[in-house]
Amino acid sequence: MFTKILVANRGEIAIRVMRAAKELGVKTVAVYSDVDKDAPHVQYADEAFPIGPAQSQLSYLHIPNIINAAVHTGAEAIHPGYGFLSENDHFARVCETWGLVFIGPPATAIQQMGIKAGARRLMEEAGVPVVPGTEGTVTDLEDAKQIAQKIGYPVLVKASFGGGGRGIRIVEDADGLADALERASREAQSAFGQGDVYLEKYLINPRHIEIQVLADKMGHVVTLGERESSLQRRRQKLLEEAPSSGMTPELRSAMSDAARRAALAVDYESAGTLEFLLDQSGAFYFMEMNTRVQVEHACTEVITGVDIVQEQIRIAQGLPLSITQEEVNFSGWSIECRINAEDPDKEFRPSPGQVTVWREPGGPWVRVDAAAQEGYTVQPYYDSLLAKVVTWGRDRDEAMRRMARALDEFRVEGVKTTIGMHQKLMTDEQFRRGDIHINFLAERFKGA
Ligand code: ADP
Ligand code: ADP
Ligand code: MG
């Protein structure tokens, strides 16, 4: 096993990774920007190394500073968490150049899946159903009009390098196409440094269902069932659950087979997630693959008992997966609520500032992955996720009642949070029935 790894991230995911390392007997190095000197992830680590000023471009995204920190502290491997450098194939290659193990998939797999327009073609070749749309990227307005006509309006213009729900535009008719192409491309250029876009049919009120995959260097691929991430605001997830109330055993098996084929098609290694849309007719389509650990991985951990981050570390080390497909057992139901420093009454605007009161829930079957504490200052520079509350129940109803109880215990003052919104959801009749789709939250909450 590695003796020391560096975690190139901050917040709850940095601590999550360090916990996994600690259980494996591996020492951890935190990195931090100037404003994160006293942050919880720095306090948790065995040692810590500064990587620059607050702006992530100059610290958490600054590859030379991160490599320098790893070399200086003698870390043998780097875990990128999610966001930041986790889906940057160039970073994965630079790590290799410096003799550092990148705890994630091979750079080629990141690259193949990262160019979403190209990934669609690859998946079609692998026999995975994809959302109807363009073959590759679109550059010409007349071509785009013809394709859109053929797939039928409304269509989505999507950034090929997009992520985090950005670089996506809905187009209702041919008149709106030119403007949407131009705007999506500009947004993608500024957010991702690359303006390529493609077209996809806009599905009406589908569910977002994803399959968790693990693959080792020996060619073993194991699927850990699905998660449902339909509850989103502005295409960003706010609540997830596993399993999905929209699932049947047949559908689960078909989707898991598709996920396995997808992983094999790119010689995948490590943990990854295949995201699908399930339409109202019961058909499902590949949307994208996240080649990293996801925010909501905990839901799957809770119902399978598999530590996904530990598997990532083991795989990177060259060890086989600790479980076979036959050994994967599902038990009960899990729900995750993302507690963000945002104001649901003001269209989910970020709410930075000092946390004056912080009291986390506890008790039976409640897991809290957090990176805040009393006196902690929520920075405007980074993601607004403060904590994830994850509950387990023998069935969906029990998981929900437990979540309602946990949210009730959670006390945060000083910043606005999404706790109240989640509390309302736990008593929402339609949600309780599992009658949900990707626009459900927008129908319930203004600005979502
Ligand atoms: P990102 O990389 O930003 O996560 P995705 O392709 O995963 O981009 O899409 C983000 C979200 O946008 C999805 O979870 C879904 O809610 C919505 N979405 C994406 N594609 C479609 C589509 N073809 N039709 C309807 N909604 C879609
Ligand atoms: P997940 O896909 O793990 O469910 P999110 O979609 O919320 O979760 O993405 C995880 C984190 O990564 C978020 O902080 C999001 O803003 C960030 N993120 C995702 N894709 C990108 C990207 N391409 N560039 C920058 N940040 C990204
Ligand atoms: Mg996605």
Side-chain angles (χ1 to χ4, degrees), residues 116 131 156 158 162-166 168 198 200-206 208 229-230 232 235-237 275 277 287-288 290 292 438:
K116 290 162 106 185
V131 185
L156 279 186
K158 292 174 92 169
R166 282 168 303 168
I168 300 181
Y198 62 103
E200 237 177 51
K201 181 160 184 62
Y202 179 67
L203 302 180
I204 307 299
N205 294 347
H208 172 127
S229 301
S230 295
Q232 312 178 347
R235 303 193 180 87
Q236 292 175 347
K237 303 160 186 171
E275 294 191 335
L277 289 175
M287 196 166 32
E288 66 158 343
N290 288 152
R292 54 174 168 85
I438 60 169

PDB file of all heavy atoms in Angstrom, residues 116 131 156 158 162-166 168 198 200-206 208 229-230 232 235-237 275 277 287-288 290 292 438, ligand 1:
ATOM      1  N   LYS A 116     -17.540  15.284 -24.764  1.00  0.00           N
ATOM      2  CA  LYS A 116     -18.837  14.615 -24.704  1.00  0.00           C
ATOM      3  C   LYS A 116     -19.387  14.266 -26.083  1.00  0.00           C
ATOM      4  O   LYS A 116     -20.039  13.230 -26.258  1.00  0.00           O
ATOM      5  CB  LYS A 116     -19.826  15.469 -23.930  1.00  0.00           C
ATOM      6  CG  LYS A 116     -19.500  15.518 -22.442  1.00  0.00           C
ATOM      7  CD  LYS A 116     -20.182  16.687 -21.769  1.00  0.00           C
ATOM      8  CE  LYS A 116     -21.348  16.256 -20.923  1.00  0.00           C
ATOM      9  NZ  LYS A 116     -22.060  17.436 -20.374  1.00  0.00           N
ATOM     10  N   VAL A 131     -28.817   9.664 -26.338  1.00  0.00           N
ATOM     11  CA  VAL A 131     -29.905  10.595 -26.656  1.00  0.00           C
ATOM     12  C   VAL A 131     -29.765  10.979 -28.136  1.00  0.00           C
ATOM     13  O   VAL A 131     -28.654  11.292 -28.575  1.00  0.00           O
ATOM     14  CB  VAL A 131     -29.818  11.876 -25.789  1.00  0.00           C
ATOM     15  CG1 VAL A 131     -31.027  12.776 -26.045  1.00  0.00           C
ATOM     16  CG2 VAL A 131     -29.722  11.532 -24.313  1.00  0.00           C
ATOM     17  N   LEU A 156     -31.500  20.619 -27.244  1.00  0.00           N
ATOM     18  CA  LEU A 156     -30.541  21.233 -26.329  1.00  0.00           C
ATOM     19  C   LEU A 156     -29.250  21.491 -27.080  1.00  0.00           C
ATOM     20  O   LEU A 156     -28.798  20.634 -27.840  1.00  0.00           O
ATOM     21  CB  LEU A 156     -30.208  20.296 -25.170  1.00  0.00           C
ATOM     22  CG  LEU A 156     -31.135  20.175 -23.982  1.00  0.00           C
ATOM     23  CD1 LEU A 156     -30.476  19.288 -22.926  1.00  0.00           C
ATOM     24  CD2 LEU A 156     -31.435  21.538 -23.374  1.00  0.00           C
ATOM     25  N   LYS A 158     -25.456  21.740 -26.230  1.00  0.00           N
ATOM     26  CA  LYS A 158     -24.623  21.399 -25.068  1.00  0.00           C
ATOM     27  C   LYS A 158     -23.141  21.582 -25.387  1.00  0.00           C
ATOM     28  O   LYS A 158     -22.682  21.245 -26.474  1.00  0.00           O
ATOM     29  CB  LYS A 158     -24.857  19.942 -24.652  1.00  0.00           C
ATOM     30  CG  LYS A 158     -26.246  19.695 -24.092  1.00  0.00           C
ATOM     31  CD  LYS A 158     -26.489  18.212 -23.838  1.00  0.00           C
ATOM     32  CE  LYS A 158     -26.134  17.808 -22.419  1.00  0.00           C
ATOM     33  NZ  LYS A 158     -26.623  16.421 -22.130  1.00  0.00           N
ATOM     34  N   GLY A 162     -18.492  20.537 -21.369  1.00  0.00           N
ATOM     35  CA  GLY A 162     -19.278  21.083 -20.255  1.00  0.00           C
ATOM     36  C   GLY A 162     -19.218  20.249 -18.991  1.00  0.00           C
ATOM     37  O   GLY A 162     -18.737  19.123 -18.982  1.00  0.00           O
ATOM     38  N   GLY A 163     -19.721  20.819 -17.919  1.00  0.00           N
ATOM     39  CA  GLY A 163     -19.796  20.130 -16.637  1.00  0.00           C
ATOM     40  C   GLY A 163     -20.474  21.042 -15.636  1.00  0.00           C
ATOM     41  O   GLY A 163     -20.601  22.245 -15.876  1.00  0.00           O
ATOM     42  N   GLY A 164     -20.943  20.442 -14.539  1.00  0.00           N
ATOM     43  CA  GLY A 164     -21.588  21.242 -13.510  1.00  0.00           C
ATOM     44  C   GLY A 164     -22.831  21.978 -14.004  1.00  0.00           C
ATOM     45  O   GLY A 164     -23.198  23.013 -13.464  1.00  0.00           O
ATOM     46  N   GLY A 165     -23.486  21.427 -15.044  1.00  0.00           N
ATOM     47  CA  GLY A 165     -24.731  22.010 -15.545  1.00  0.00           C
ATOM     48  C   GLY A 165     -24.551  23.279 -16.363  1.00  0.00           C
ATOM     49  O   GLY A 165     -25.540  23.901 -16.770  1.00  0.00           O
ATOM     50  N   ARG A 166     -23.305  23.647 -16.655  1.00  0.00           N
ATOM     51  CA  ARG A 166     -23.098  24.875 -17.421  1.00  0.00           C
ATOM     52  C   ARG A 166     -22.880  24.592 -18.906  1.00  0.00           C
ATOM     53  O   ARG A 166     -22.498  23.490 -19.287  1.00  0.00           O
ATOM     54  CB  ARG A 166     -21.922  25.666 -16.849  1.00  0.00           C
ATOM     55  CG  ARG A 166     -22.305  26.426 -15.571  1.00  0.00           C
ATOM     56  CD  ARG A 166     -21.089  26.951 -14.869  1.00  0.00           C
ATOM     57  NE  ARG A 166     -20.174  25.857 -14.554  1.00  0.00           N
ATOM     58  CZ  ARG A 166     -18.932  26.020 -14.150  1.00  0.00           C
ATOM     59  NH1 ARG A 166     -18.435  27.232 -14.057  1.00  0.00           N
ATOM     60  NH2 ARG A 166     -18.169  24.987 -13.857  1.00  0.00           N
ATOM     61  N   ILE A 168     -25.286  24.739 -21.266  1.00  0.00           N
ATOM     62  CA  ILE A 168     -26.451  24.048 -21.837  1.00  0.00           C
ATOM     63  C   ILE A 168     -27.563  25.075 -22.111  1.00  0.00           C
ATOM     64  O   ILE A 168     -27.862  25.905 -21.267  1.00  0.00           O
ATOM     65  CB  ILE A 168     -26.974  22.955 -20.870  1.00  0.00           C
ATOM     66  CG1 ILE A 168     -25.883  21.906 -20.604  1.00  0.00           C
ATOM     67  CG2 ILE A 168     -28.224  22.287 -21.432  1.00  0.00           C
ATOM     68  CD1 ILE A 168     -26.304  20.770 -19.682  1.00  0.00           C
ATOM     69  N   TYR A 198     -22.637  20.659 -29.256  1.00  0.00           N
ATOM     70  CA  TYR A 198     -23.361  19.657 -30.042  1.00  0.00           C
ATOM     71  C   TYR A 198     -24.844  19.750 -29.703  1.00  0.00           C
ATOM     72  O   TYR A 198     -25.233  20.458 -28.761  1.00  0.00           O
ATOM     73  CB  TYR A 198     -22.806  18.247 -29.794  1.00  0.00           C
ATOM     74  CG  TYR A 198     -22.929  17.746 -28.375  1.00  0.00           C
ATOM     75  CD1 TYR A 198     -23.919  16.822 -28.034  1.00  0.00           C
ATOM     76  CD2 TYR A 198     -22.062  18.180 -27.372  1.00  0.00           C
ATOM     77  CE1 TYR A 198     -24.041  16.342 -26.734  1.00  0.00           C
ATOM     78  CE2 TYR A 198     -22.175  17.715 -26.078  1.00  0.00           C
ATOM     79  CZ  TYR A 198     -23.167  16.798 -25.764  1.00  0.00           C
ATOM     80  OH  TYR A 198     -23.286  16.334 -24.482  1.00  0.00           O
ATOM     81  N   GLU A 200     -28.640  17.854 -28.888  1.00  0.00           N
ATOM     82  CA  GLU A 200     -29.297  16.661 -28.371  1.00  0.00           C
ATOM     83  C   GLU A 200     -30.785  16.916 -28.313  1.00  0.00           C
ATOM     84  O   GLU A 200     -31.200  18.054 -28.072  1.00  0.00           O
ATOM     85  CB  GLU A 200     -28.813  16.429 -26.923  1.00  0.00           C
ATOM     86  CG  GLU A 200     -28.190  15.088 -26.680  1.00  0.00           C
ATOM     87  CD  GLU A 200     -27.668  14.951 -25.265  1.00  0.00           C
ATOM     88  OE1 GLU A 200     -28.418  15.229 -24.303  1.00  0.00           O
ATOM     89  OE2 GLU A 200     -26.512  14.571 -25.124  1.00  0.00           O
ATOM     90  N   LYS A 201     -31.581  15.893 -28.491  1.00  0.00           N
ATOM     91  CA  LYS A 201     -33.016  16.064 -28.322  1.00  0.00           C
ATOM     92  C   LYS A 201     -33.286  16.397 -26.866  1.00  0.00           C
ATOM     93  O   LYS A 201     -32.706  15.808 -25.960  1.00  0.00           O
ATOM     94  CB  LYS A 201     -33.754  14.780 -28.707  1.00  0.00           C
ATOM     95  CG  LYS A 201     -35.261  14.941 -28.574  1.00  0.00           C
ATOM     96  CD  LYS A 201     -36.029  13.921 -29.366  1.00  0.00           C
ATOM     97  CE  LYS A 201     -37.519  14.182 -29.289  1.00  0.00           C
ATOM     98  NZ  LYS A 201     -37.902  15.491 -29.873  1.00  0.00           N
ATOM     99  N   TYR A 202     -34.180  17.374 -26.645  1.00  0.00           N
ATOM    100  CA  TYR A 202     -34.543  17.725 -25.275  1.00  0.00           C
ATOM    101  C   TYR A 202     -35.661  16.796 -24.833  1.00  0.00           C
ATOM    102  O   TYR A 202     -36.780  16.847 -25.374  1.00  0.00           O
ATOM    103  CB  TYR A 202     -34.986  19.191 -25.210  1.00  0.00           C
ATOM    104  CG  TYR A 202     -35.404  19.617 -23.831  1.00  0.00           C
ATOM    105  CD1 TYR A 202     -34.474  19.691 -22.800  1.00  0.00           C
ATOM    106  CD2 TYR A 202     -36.736  19.940 -23.546  1.00  0.00           C
ATOM    107  CE1 TYR A 202     -34.852  20.073 -21.526  1.00  0.00           C
ATOM    108  CE2 TYR A 202     -37.123  20.323 -22.270  1.00  0.00           C
ATOM    109  CZ  TYR A 202     -36.176  20.386 -21.267  1.00  0.00           C
ATOM    110  OH  TYR A 202     -36.554  20.753 -20.008  1.00  0.00           O
ATOM    111  N   LEU A 203     -35.379  15.937 -23.889  1.00  0.00           N
ATOM    112  CA  LEU A 203     -36.393  14.995 -23.419  1.00  0.00           C
ATOM    113  C   LEU A 203     -37.310  15.707 -22.422  1.00  0.00           C
ATOM    114  O   LEU A 203     -36.855  16.522 -21.614  1.00  0.00           O
ATOM    115  CB  LEU A 203     -35.729  13.780 -22.769  1.00  0.00           C
ATOM    116  CG  LEU A 203     -34.749  13.000 -23.664  1.00  0.00           C
ATOM    117  CD1 LEU A 203     -34.154  11.816 -22.908  1.00  0.00           C
ATOM    118  CD2 LEU A 203     -35.416  12.524 -24.941  1.00  0.00           C
ATOM    119  N   ILE A 204     -38.606  15.373 -22.489  1.00  0.00           N
ATOM    120  CA  ILE A 204     -39.581  16.045 -21.627  1.00  0.00           C
ATOM    121  C   ILE A 204     -39.701  15.310 -20.287  1.00  0.00           C
ATOM    122  O   ILE A 204     -40.117  14.154 -20.234  1.00  0.00           O
ATOM    123  CB  ILE A 204     -40.976  16.117 -22.316  1.00  0.00           C
ATOM    124  CG1 ILE A 204     -40.852  16.749 -23.718  1.00  0.00           C
ATOM    125  CG2 ILE A 204     -41.970  16.892 -21.444  1.00  0.00           C
ATOM    126  CD1 ILE A 204     -40.314  18.164 -23.749  1.00  0.00           C
ATOM    127  N   ASN A 205     -39.346  16.010 -19.241  1.00  0.00           N
ATOM    128  CA  ASN A 205     -39.452  15.485 -17.875  1.00  0.00           C
ATOM    129  C   ASN A 205     -38.940  14.049 -17.684  1.00  0.00           C
ATOM    130  O   ASN A 205     -39.637  13.202 -17.120  1.00  0.00           O
ATOM    131  CB  ASN A 205     -40.904  15.575 -17.383  1.00  0.00           C
ATOM    132  CG  ASN A 205     -41.341  17.020 -17.229  1.00  0.00           C
ATOM    133  OD1 ASN A 205     -40.514  17.934 -17.253  1.00  0.00           O
ATOM    134  ND2 ASN A 205     -42.634  17.247 -17.071  1.00  0.00           N
ATOM    135  N   PRO A 206     -37.711  13.760 -18.118  1.00  0.00           N
ATOM    136  CA  PRO A 206     -37.149  12.432 -17.843  1.00  0.00           C
ATOM    137  C   PRO A 206     -36.631  12.357 -16.413  1.00  0.00           C
ATOM    138  O   PRO A 206     -36.600  13.366 -15.702  1.00  0.00           O
ATOM    139  CB  PRO A 206     -35.974  12.350 -18.821  1.00  0.00           C
ATOM    140  CG  PRO A 206     -35.508  13.769 -18.936  1.00  0.00           C
ATOM    141  CD  PRO A 206     -36.746  14.644 -18.793  1.00  0.00           C
ATOM    142  N   HIS A 208     -33.240  11.374 -14.072  1.00  0.00           N
ATOM    143  CA  HIS A 208     -31.782  11.216 -14.172  1.00  0.00           C
ATOM    144  C   HIS A 208     -31.400  10.032 -13.300  1.00  0.00           C
ATOM    145  O   HIS A 208     -31.539  10.078 -12.082  1.00  0.00           O
ATOM    146  CB  HIS A 208     -31.086  12.503 -13.703  1.00  0.00           C
ATOM    147  CG  HIS A 208     -29.586  12.379 -13.591  1.00  0.00           C
ATOM    148  ND1 HIS A 208     -28.724  13.261 -14.199  1.00  0.00           N
ATOM    149  CD2 HIS A 208     -28.803  11.492 -12.935  1.00  0.00           C
ATOM    150  CE1 HIS A 208     -27.467  12.909 -13.924  1.00  0.00           C
ATOM    151  NE2 HIS A 208     -27.498  11.841 -13.153  1.00  0.00           N
ATOM    152  N   SER A 229     -30.732  10.939  -9.436  1.00  0.00           N
ATOM    153  CA  SER A 229     -30.325  12.329  -9.188  1.00  0.00           C
ATOM    154  C   SER A 229     -31.238  13.289  -9.930  1.00  0.00           C
ATOM    155  O   SER A 229     -30.791  14.268 -10.510  1.00  0.00           O
ATOM    156  CB  SER A 229     -28.880  12.546  -9.651  1.00  0.00           C
ATOM    157  OG  SER A 229     -28.004  11.682  -8.982  1.00  0.00           O
ATOM    158  N   SER A 230     -32.540  13.002  -9.911  1.00  0.00           N
ATOM    159  CA  SER A 230     -33.472  13.844 -10.674  1.00  0.00           C
ATOM    160  C   SER A 230     -33.739  15.183 -10.002  1.00  0.00           C
ATOM    161  O   SER A 230     -34.175  16.121 -10.664  1.00  0.00           O
ATOM    162  CB  SER A 230     -34.806  13.107 -10.860  1.00  0.00           C
ATOM    163  OG  SER A 230     -34.625  11.959 -11.667  1.00  0.00           O
ATOM    164  N   GLN A 232     -32.896  18.440  -9.112  1.00  0.00           N
ATOM    165  CA  GLN A 232     -31.853  19.396  -9.492  1.00  0.00           C
ATOM    166  C   GLN A 232     -32.424  20.802  -9.551  1.00  0.00           C
ATOM    167  O   GLN A 232     -33.611  20.987  -9.787  1.00  0.00           O
ATOM    168  CB  GLN A 232     -31.325  19.056 -10.893  1.00  0.00           C
ATOM    169  CG  GLN A 232     -30.985  17.596 -11.110  1.00  0.00           C
ATOM    170  CD  GLN A 232     -30.521  17.300 -12.536  1.00  0.00           C
ATOM    171  OE1 GLN A 232     -30.666  18.126 -13.430  1.00  0.00           O
ATOM    172  NE2 GLN A 232     -29.972  16.119 -12.747  1.00  0.00           N
ATOM    173  N   ARG A 235     -29.954  22.357 -13.358  1.00  0.00           N
ATOM    174  CA  ARG A 235     -29.161  21.194 -13.801  1.00  0.00           C
ATOM    175  C   ARG A 235     -28.058  20.812 -12.840  1.00  0.00           C
ATOM    176  O   ARG A 235     -27.110  20.137 -13.189  1.00  0.00           O
ATOM    177  CB  ARG A 235     -28.589  21.416 -15.203  1.00  0.00           C
ATOM    178  CG  ARG A 235     -29.694  21.697 -16.191  1.00  0.00           C
ATOM    179  CD  ARG A 235     -29.328  21.626 -17.624  1.00  0.00           C
ATOM    180  NE  ARG A 235     -30.532  21.918 -18.386  1.00  0.00           N
ATOM    181  CZ  ARG A 235     -30.901  23.148 -18.704  1.00  0.00           C
ATOM    182  NH1 ARG A 235     -30.159  24.168 -18.393  1.00  0.00           N
ATOM    183  NH2 ARG A 235     -32.026  23.335 -19.345  1.00  0.00           N
ATOM    184  N   GLN A 236     -28.169  21.269 -11.585  1.00  0.00           N
ATOM    185  CA  GLN A 236     -27.228  20.814 -10.560  1.00  0.00           C
ATOM    186  C   GLN A 236     -28.000  20.053  -9.496  1.00  0.00           C
ATOM    187  O   GLN A 236     -29.058  20.487  -9.047  1.00  0.00           O
ATOM    188  CB  GLN A 236     -26.492  22.009  -9.948  1.00  0.00           C
ATOM    189  CG  GLN A 236     -25.556  22.644 -10.956  1.00  0.00           C
ATOM    190  CD  GLN A 236     -24.909  23.902 -10.414  1.00  0.00           C
ATOM    191  OE1 GLN A 236     -25.330  24.441  -9.391  1.00  0.00           O
ATOM    192  NE2 GLN A 236     -23.889  24.370 -11.099  1.00  0.00           N
ATOM    193  N   LYS A 237     -27.434  18.918  -9.096  1.00  0.00           N
ATOM    194  CA  LYS A 237     -28.135  18.022  -8.188  1.00  0.00           C
ATOM    195  C   LYS A 237     -28.237  18.588  -6.771  1.00  0.00           C
ATOM    196  O   LYS A 237     -27.294  19.207  -6.288  1.00  0.00           O
ATOM    197  CB  LYS A 237     -27.385  16.686  -8.133  1.00  0.00           C
ATOM    198  CG  LYS A 237     -27.239  16.037  -9.494  1.00  0.00           C
ATOM    199  CD  LYS A 237     -26.117  15.020  -9.513  1.00  0.00           C
ATOM    200  CE  LYS A 237     -25.898  14.490 -10.913  1.00  0.00           C
ATOM    201  NZ  LYS A 237     -24.669  13.663 -11.000  1.00  0.00           N
ATOM    202  N   GLU A 275     -24.050   8.294 -16.528  1.00  0.00           N
ATOM    203  CA  GLU A 275     -25.309   9.008 -16.331  1.00  0.00           C
ATOM    204  C   GLU A 275     -26.255   8.748 -17.502  1.00  0.00           C
ATOM    205  O   GLU A 275     -25.865   8.875 -18.662  1.00  0.00           O
ATOM    206  CB  GLU A 275     -25.045  10.511 -16.199  1.00  0.00           C
ATOM    207  CG  GLU A 275     -24.255  10.858 -14.943  1.00  0.00           C
ATOM    208  CD  GLU A 275     -24.208  12.357 -14.648  1.00  0.00           C
ATOM    209  OE1 GLU A 275     -24.355  13.162 -15.596  1.00  0.00           O
ATOM    210  OE2 GLU A 275     -24.020  12.711 -13.484  1.00  0.00           O
ATOM    211  N   LEU A 277     -30.533   9.216 -18.965  1.00  0.00           N
ATOM    212  CA  LEU A 277     -31.869   9.792 -18.809  1.00  0.00           C
ATOM    213  C   LEU A 277     -32.868   8.684 -19.110  1.00  0.00           C
ATOM    214  O   LEU A 277     -32.700   7.944 -20.085  1.00  0.00           O
ATOM    215  CB  LEU A 277     -32.083  10.965 -19.766  1.00  0.00           C
ATOM    216  CG  LEU A 277     -31.296  12.240 -19.453  1.00  0.00           C
ATOM    217  CD1 LEU A 277     -31.508  13.277 -20.548  1.00  0.00           C
ATOM    218  CD2 LEU A 277     -31.684  12.803 -18.084  1.00  0.00           C
ATOM    219  N   MET A 287     -26.034   9.785 -21.245  1.00  0.00           N
ATOM    220  CA  MET A 287     -25.868  11.234 -21.286  1.00  0.00           C
ATOM    221  C   MET A 287     -24.390  11.596 -21.212  1.00  0.00           C
ATOM    222  O   MET A 287     -23.876  12.313 -22.036  1.00  0.00           O
ATOM    223  CB  MET A 287     -26.630  11.835 -20.114  1.00  0.00           C
ATOM    224  CG  MET A 287     -26.882  13.292 -20.219  1.00  0.00           C
ATOM    225  SD  MET A 287     -28.114  13.847 -19.040  1.00  0.00           S
ATOM    226  CE  MET A 287     -27.901  12.795 -17.647  1.00  0.00           C
ATOM    227  N   GLU A 288     -23.704  11.087 -20.190  1.00  0.00           N
ATOM    228  CA  GLU A 288     -22.266  11.338 -20.073  1.00  0.00           C
ATOM    229  C   GLU A 288     -21.689  10.382 -19.040  1.00  0.00           C
ATOM    230  O   GLU A 288     -22.422   9.752 -18.279  1.00  0.00           O
ATOM    231  CB  GLU A 288     -21.982  12.791 -19.645  1.00  0.00           C
ATOM    232  CG  GLU A 288     -22.456  13.124 -18.246  1.00  0.00           C
ATOM    233  CD  GLU A 288     -21.742  14.328 -17.644  1.00  0.00           C
ATOM    234  OE1 GLU A 288     -20.664  14.727 -18.135  1.00  0.00           O
ATOM    235  OE2 GLU A 288     -22.259  14.861 -16.649  1.00  0.00           O
ATOM    236  N   ASN A 290     -19.055  10.454 -15.798  1.00  0.00           N
ATOM    237  CA  ASN A 290     -18.208  11.222 -14.878  1.00  0.00           C
ATOM    238  C   ASN A 290     -17.054  10.312 -14.471  1.00  0.00           C
ATOM    239  O   ASN A 290     -17.258   9.299 -13.803  1.00  0.00           O
ATOM    240  CB  ASN A 290     -18.988  11.673 -13.642  1.00  0.00           C
ATOM    241  CG  ASN A 290     -19.984  12.786 -13.953  1.00  0.00           C
ATOM    242  OD1 ASN A 290     -20.993  12.932 -13.290  1.00  0.00           O
ATOM    243  ND2 ASN A 290     -19.715  13.582 -14.988  1.00  0.00           N
ATOM    244  N   ARG A 292     -14.730  10.067 -12.296  1.00  0.00           N
ATOM    245  CA  ARG A 292     -14.226  10.486 -10.978  1.00  0.00           C
ATOM    246  C   ARG A 292     -15.199   9.994  -9.921  1.00  0.00           C
ATOM    247  O   ARG A 292     -16.252   9.447 -10.259  1.00  0.00           O
ATOM    248  CB  ARG A 292     -14.191  12.022 -10.923  1.00  0.00           C
ATOM    249  CG  ARG A 292     -15.553  12.607 -11.285  1.00  0.00           C
ATOM    250  CD  ARG A 292     -15.598  14.102 -11.111  1.00  0.00           C
ATOM    251  NE  ARG A 292     -16.784  14.694 -11.711  1.00  0.00           N
ATOM    252  CZ  ARG A 292     -17.967  14.808 -11.159  1.00  0.00           C
ATOM    253  NH1 ARG A 292     -18.162  14.319  -9.947  1.00  0.00           N
ATOM    254  NH2 ARG A 292     -18.974  15.379 -11.782  1.00  0.00           N
ATOM    255  N   ILE A 438     -36.649  15.504 -13.725  1.00  0.00           N
ATOM    256  CA  ILE A 438     -35.589  16.513 -13.572  1.00  0.00           C
ATOM    257  C   ILE A 438     -36.100  17.952 -13.403  1.00  0.00           C
ATOM    258  O   ILE A 438     -35.342  18.819 -12.993  1.00  0.00           O
ATOM    259  CB  ILE A 438     -34.558  16.465 -14.724  1.00  0.00           C
ATOM    260  CG1 ILE A 438     -35.234  16.726 -16.061  1.00  0.00           C
ATOM    261  CG2 ILE A 438     -33.811  15.138 -14.741  1.00  0.00           C
ATOM    262  CD1 ILE A 438     -34.254  16.953 -17.205  1.00  0.00           C
TER     263      ILE A 438
HETATM  264  P1  ADP B   1     -23.104  18.106 -16.880  1.00  0.00           P
HETATM  265  O1  ADP B   1     -21.786  17.661 -17.430  1.00  0.00           O
HETATM  266  O2  ADP B   1     -23.206  19.555 -16.734  1.00  0.00           O
HETATM  267  O3  ADP B   1     -23.490  17.310 -15.680  1.00  0.00           O
HETATM  268  P2  ADP B   1     -25.115  16.567 -18.305  1.00  0.00           P
HETATM  269  O4  ADP B   1     -25.029  16.153 -19.742  1.00  0.00           O
HETATM  270  O5  ADP B   1     -24.902  15.510 -17.300  1.00  0.00           O
HETATM  271  O6  ADP B   1     -24.133  17.770 -18.051  1.00  0.00           O
HETATM  272  O7  ADP B   1     -26.525  17.233 -18.075  1.00  0.00           O
HETATM  273  C1  ADP B   1     -26.844  17.892 -16.881  1.00  0.00           C
HETATM  274  C2  ADP B   1     -28.341  17.835 -16.623  1.00  0.00           C
HETATM  275  O8  ADP B   1     -29.061  18.471 -17.699  1.00  0.00           O
HETATM  276  C3  ADP B   1     -28.916  16.425 -16.554  1.00  0.00           C
HETATM  277  O9  ADP B   1     -28.797  15.866 -15.271  1.00  0.00           O
HETATM  278  C4  ADP B   1     -30.362  16.661 -16.951  1.00  0.00           C
HETATM  279  O10 ADP B   1     -31.115  17.144 -15.868  1.00  0.00           O
HETATM  280  C5  ADP B   1     -30.262  17.778 -17.980  1.00  0.00           C
HETATM  281  N1  ADP B   1     -30.193  17.239 -19.353  1.00  0.00           N
HETATM  282  C6  ADP B   1     -29.065  16.886 -20.007  1.00  0.00           C
HETATM  283  N2  ADP B   1     -29.344  16.412 -21.238  1.00  0.00           N
HETATM  284  C7  ADP B   1     -30.682  16.475 -21.380  1.00  0.00           C
HETATM  285  C8  ADP B   1     -31.595  16.140 -22.440  1.00  0.00           C
HETATM  286  N3  ADP B   1     -31.167  15.651 -23.599  1.00  0.00           N
HETATM  287  N4  ADP B   1     -32.919  16.350 -22.239  1.00  0.00           N
HETATM  288  C9  ADP B   1     -33.369  16.859 -21.065  1.00  0.00           C
HETATM  289  N5  ADP B   1     -32.560  17.201 -20.040  1.00  0.00           N
HETATM  290  C10 ADP B   1     -31.239  16.999 -20.173  1.00  0.00           C
END
